[in-house]
Amino acid sequence: MSSELQVFRLPDLGEGLTEAELVNWLVAVGDQIKVDQPIAEVETAKSMVEVPSPYAGTVAELHGQTGETLDVGKPLISIAPVGAAPAEPKAPAATDDAVSTGVVTDAEASAAAETYRTEEKAGSGNVLIGYGTPGGATGGRTRPRKGSVAVVDAAPAAALEGSVAAPEARMEPAVAGTRIPGKLSAVISPLVRKMARDHGVSLDAINGSGASGLIMRRDVEAAISAPEAPVAPSAQAPAEAVAPAAASGDLDGRTGLAVSARTPVRGVRKAVAANMTKSRTEIPEATVWVDVDATALLDMRAELKKRSAHDTPGLLAFIARFVTAGLKKYPTLNTRFETGTDGSQEIVGFDGINLGFAAQTDRGLVVPSVRNAHQLSARELDAEIRRLTAVAREGKATPTELGSGTFTLNNYGVFGVDGSAAIINYPEVAMLGVGRIIDKPWVVNGELAVRKVTELTLAFDHRVCDGETAAGFLRYVADCIENPGGALADM
């Protein structure tokens, strides 16, 4: 119907993310918007992105406040179609659905969100990254928007809890045009997995009630409520007693000091914390290091700069070139260690190298990666490293650019330190760190001299290789730095 409100739900912005922080609304209630017009800026654990509208019409309601963290699949914005009279809010009847009335209750929103996440994870094809949604009253832009995502409401809330044998729920024309048929499998949405993990529920012990054995939120909720006894009142009392102390300025019970501030851990910082914890928990890492005379490399770059100052690669690009050559020689360090649900383990190798590099931004530490870095020259690596650093610092790097690395290069020398006991960027198996380059006494041809020296540190997963492999790779990169001309001639 032309008078129906169209409800657009927060999409999964990539990499199975379960939530995003609403940074800024780009539209207001009453605004006329077009298909693919950016409506909000949101920050995920990966990047800052603009979310475009899959609908054209008049903004009827904004479902969220600036600074609020929204779950994937929950209503983001309601839009009245072009030419429709403003919808009058009304209480929905028992048979009304959330889309047709334009009024979304909490229960309906949760149910609709779960169904959206279920369909998305089953490969419904409703997530359109960098494209407008077919249909609508106006034509969308043909120019793709980096990091943009458009997701349309998949079905009325009334059909959400239908049985497996029920026919496929009615869809908007735009949804039907983007569905990929025949892609239904027993998968679990990120929020359902998170709910199970937070409550200590084993998904292996749950028989899914959804199509093809899909584990739904209701299945996990049933498992959570299964324990025979509720929490004892005595166990609840301490929590109630501590609650008033949550406000800043109150005394901290352990130190006796006043609490000056409480900063929520979210966005990039939350992702970094989770990733580092997982790395330390699962990876038995070992570290090897070596001091390297980088004088010849600096001299070679200085000579190149005299010839062509505008496009001379930086030192990190040369080292990146040496690293990709070393990973070809020692491919075990360019792998991933995987454990199957049945307890089986395997080392997964890759036909290519996506070289990640640590970049410090205002939002925290991120690791964009140069895809197919093994195919690039030092000059090409330099250009891509500079581009990725810029988009990462602007918060515009895509989830693919931030989550596809196979090995990480970390230049912490820019912070004025010599070395670091680095934490491997999970799920990779190794990381090479480069310290600052400083003048040090060095023996050259039996005589003491002042040379430009740096320290290389390799942290590696001892499950995938032994010290011989790690030392061989580290020594190879060190030799390339000490004899860059000969190394580049052989690459």
Side-chain angles (χ1 to χ4, degrees):
M1 297 293 293
S2 61
S3 61
E4 294 175 355
L5 290 184
Q6 297 163 312
V7 180
F8 175 42
R9 303 180 184 281
L10 180 67
D12 180 348
L13 300 167
E15 301 293 312
L17 300 173
T18 62
E19 62 185 20
E21 180 183 347
L22 181 58
V23 176
N24 183 38
W25 282 111
L26 303 178
V27 296
V29 173
D31 286 356
Q32 296 290 323
I33 62 174
K34 299 179 180 179
V35 170
D36 237 10
Q37 177 177 331
I39 56 175
E41 288 181 323
V42 299
E43 181 180 19
T44 71
K46 297 289 185 181
S47 60
M48 182 96 69
V49 297
E50 290 180 347
V51 180
S53 171
Y55 300 120
T58 304
V59 177
E61 184 176 359
L62 304 178
H63 299 282
Q65 302 293 327
T66 299
E68 182 180 351
T69 298
L70 305 176
D71 289 337
V72 166
K74 289 297 181 69
L76 179 64
I77 189 172
S78 294
I79 301 169
V82 174
E88 291 293 335
K90 63 178 182 178
T95 57
D96 286 348
D97 60 67
V99 175
S100 62
T101 63
V103 179
V104 183
T105 66
D106 290 342
E108 289 168 337
S110 297
E114 181 60 28
T115 292
Y116 157 72
R117 287 189 291 270
T118 297
E119 286 205 350
E120 181 182 305
K121 295 305 168 189
S124 68
N126 293 344
V127 179
L128 310 178
I129 300 182
Y131 294 89
T133 304
T138 63
R141 285 194 303 267
T142 58
R143 176 175 64 84
R145 174 178 295 277
K146 181 181 292 185
S148 295
V149 181
V151 179
V152 293
D153 217 338
L160 297 179
E161 295 296 329
S163 64
V164 175
E168 186 173 9
R170 172 175 62 83
M171 295 180 295
E172 299 279 350
V175 178
T178 61
R179 175 175 288 281
I180 300 175
K183 290 189 67 177
L184 180 63
S185 58
V187 294
I188 307 162
S189 81
L191 283 182
V192 172
R193 288 196 299 269
K194 184 176 185 298
M195 179 187 295
R197 183 173 62 251
D198 291 346
H199 290 84
V201 175
S202 173
L203 294 173
D204 295 335
I206 297 178
N207 294 321
S209 62
S212 300
L214 183 70
I215 298 178
M216 308 290 289
R217 174 180 290 191
R218 58 177 176 266
D219 301 323
V220 177
E221 289 174 342
I224 294 172
S225 61
E228 55 282 358
V231 179
S234 59
Q236 298 175 352
E240 295 172 356
V242 173
S248 62
D250 291 337
L251 290 180
D252 174 62
R254 190 181 73 84
T255 64
L257 299 174
V259 177
S260 62
R262 294 186 183 273
T263 305
V265 179
R266 57 192 181 192
V268 170
R269 178 53 53 193
K270 183 176 181 180
V272 169
N275 200 51
M276 296 299 99
T277 299
K278 194 165 190 178
S279 180
R280 277 291 196 227
T281 301
E282 295 190 13
I283 298 178
E285 65 183 41
T287 305
V288 290
W289 60 90
V290 63
D291 287 339
V292 183
D293 180 2
T295 306
L297 178 60
L298 268 68
D299 289 345
M300 184 190 74
R301 183 175 182 273
E303 185 62 30
L304 289 173
K305 201 166 185 179
K306 288 179 183 178
R307 300 178 190 174
S308 179
H310 68 283
D311 63 349
T312 303
L315 291 175
L316 188 63
F318 283 114
I319 296 174
R321 188 70 188 90
F322 301 149
V323 167
T324 57
L327 291 175
K328 288 181 183 179
K329 191 174 180 67
Y330 297 92
T332 306
L333 294 171
N334 188 55
T335 61
R336 183 171 65 235
F337 190 94
E338 290 187 353
T339 302
T341 55
D342 59 353
S344 62
Q345 297 177 329
E346 60 183 3
I347 297 173
V348 181
F350 304 105
D351 184 16
I353 300 167
N354 289 347
L355 184 63
F357 61 94
Q360 191 67 43
T361 73
D362 292 340
R363 301 171 63 244
L365 183 69
V366 296
V367 186
S369 60
V370 179
R371 297 174 66 83
N372 295 309
H374 58 291
Q375 298 176 352
L376 305 181
S377 66
R379 188 169 278 112
E380 291 169 332
L381 283 167
D382 184 71
E384 186 64 0
I385 288 172
R386 292 179 188 277
R387 183 191 72 81
L388 287 169
T389 300
V391 297
R393 287 176 177 166
E394 292 169 2
K396 301 298 183 182
T398 66
T400 298
E401 289 171 329
L402 293 175
S404 59
T406 59
F407 183 95
T408 295
L409 176 60
N410 188 358
N411 181 23
Y412 43 69
V414 296
F415 301 116
V417 298
D418 299 326
S420 169
I423 300 177
I424 297 171
N425 185 27
Y426 185 91
E428 298 167 16
V429 299
M431 173 186 287
L432 179 67
V434 183
R436 61 177 177 163
I437 300 176
I438 58 174
D439 289 340
K440 278 190 176 183
W442 198 262
V443 176
V444 180
N445 298 325
E447 303 221 354
L448 199 61
V450 176
R451 306 289 283 185
K452 302 293 185 180
V453 178
T454 186
E455 181 180 285
L456 301 182
T457 305
L458 178 70
F460 66 98
D461 187 338
H462 222 316
R463 296 174 299 178
V464 303
C465 70
D466 297 324
E468 181 181 6
T469 300
F473 168 81
L474 187 62
R475 190 65 255 173
Y476 176 87
V477 176
D479 290 343
C480 288
I481 293 175
E482 293 184 342
N483 182 26
L488 291 171
D490 294 333
M491 292 178 184

